[in-house]
Amino acid sequence: MPTKYIIVTGGVLSGLGKGIASASIGQLLSSRLKIIPLKCDGYLNVDPGTMNPFEHGEVFVLDDGGEVDMDFGHYERFLGVTCKSKWNLTMGKVFDVVRQKERRGDYLGKTVQYIPHVTDVIKSHIFEVAKEESADLVIVEIGGTVGDIENELFLESMRQVKEDVGRENIIYIHLTYVPIPYGVNEQKSKPTQQSVNLLKQRGIFPDVIIGRCSQFLTKEIKAKISNFCDVEPDAVITGLDVEDIYEIPLIFEQEGLAEILHKKLNIYSPPDLRKWKQLIENLRNPTREVTVAMCGKYTKLEDSYASIIESFNHCSAHLGCKINLKWVETTNLEDASFLDDIDGLVVPGGFGSRGTEGKIEVIRLARERNIPFLGLCLGLQLAVIEFARHVCGMEGANSTEMDPNTPYPVIDILPEQRGITEKGGTMRLGAYPAVLKNGTLTRALYGSAEVSERHRHRYEVNPEFHKMIADHGMIFSGCSPDGRLVEFIELPDLKFFVATQAHPELKSRMEAPAPLFHGFVKACMDQKNAMT
Ligand code: GLN
């Protein structure tokens, strides 16, 4: 079978959930096909690693060390694949290639132009990935909204692709918005019509339209969209607003999307959503409830912590426990009253010194009051600083990231990071193994002696202080195989005080929640029991 292609575009508004729609489409078809998700982003950064999470949401890190768009989190979680950085094509990467080719003389004698030179680079990249991965189906998501200048070249490339692969091997899916204006109380199709027109002006005629709406699309509106936009009536699908994104594949299935895709692409890969349905059922019907404080800096934008939120959803589905996240901004912490109704706290990753003193204070409270605590990356570093200051007596202990002149640099830059001045893709990135110590909680939670988790950091627990800290009772429950790098810590006398230099949230899946999160939520449930 030749490789099939599904191209997903978006119109009317940004933020309609193209990533989740693409991941859900993939999930519906994944039972028998090898599916590769590919995302095209129009920005000129080579990757999102240099962007503030406020601007672009969480930076997702892959096993191979690639820093990619957060949609890759959805792809991995919905499709069960391990993505590669090559599957995220940004305009920054495209122009890099075109410029190198031009300097090398590949275009000698020619005027280098958007069409065909830039579009050829885009298409060859996509075909190369399809070939390397022996993909049955490639789902290409085009970032942004039709009509944006940024994605014009990607759209033009996608228009051309149908000639290269044959019309029978490609379909175009367009995600739009169907508003129900206040006072009119009726589903409206005009924004969809206009955005499909924009797409048609670019030579792309959608085969399927997904209308994001707060209600199921009525038969009438489907007929209208079908008529005005020239798609078959059963190819107009509701993209319902849902409480949990995990419901989207179920909605698409209910709307008959899988059959349409089978028919149009001449494939057969029936959805197998039994297990998924069961987990969603659990998520919808929790029998318990806990409240977890998230002590971060980007708390105003939940997208900055997308994978952590999803990891908690996975735990919810497995433990039948609703997890309320209480966002605590540590830059202006006034007193400890926020602790009154919480059952556990998380200090997530972060960069720079803003808010760190507040987080250290929060960790001290967790330790002293024996409240379950989970530290992630920066969270581990701050837990070590807190312990050094208040248990080991190292007053003024700090990370050299926050205070280069600290008398006790218990957290210091990794030796291999010294002297690196370029910011893009230069951190310690990707999956690294850690050896877990026998008899520790960390090892019990993972249930294995060696684990591999993903990383994104420049600083580490300074080896000069390992002995001093360990002598005071902090257990280094997991280290890099050479023993140099502390990857996991815990305080054995407390109910749950565990932190890691890694980001285990990046590998959490609905079918297999990250073990540290699972253990942490269980500890929060016990904590709540003990309190009531
Ligand atoms: N800023 C810290 C470091 O670079 C922690 C990074 C993180 O939390 N991802 O080591």
Side-chain angles (χ1 to χ4, degrees), residues 349-352 376-378 381 401 456-459 501 503:
F351 294 83
L376 305 167
C377 201
L378 180 68
Q381 299 175 356
E401 182 182 7
R456 184 171 190 255
H457 66 123
R458 293 186 205 280
Y459 292 79
Q501 188 59 75
H503 288 280

Side-chain angles (χ1 to χ4, degrees), residues 293-299 304-305 308 312 327-328 330 345-351 356 359 363 373-382 500 502-503 505 517:
M294 275 279 289
C295 308
K297 162 160 84 166
Y298 309 112
T299 47
S304 323
Y305 299 111
I308 297 181
F312 280 122
W327 300 89
V328 178
T330 48
L345 53 92
V346 175
V347 175
F351 294 83
T356 49
K359 287 181 207 168
I363 297 170
F373 162 75
L374 178 63
L376 305 167
C377 201
L378 180 68
L380 172 139
Q381 299 175 356
L382 298 180
T500 173
H503 288 280
E505 68 274 19
F517 280 79

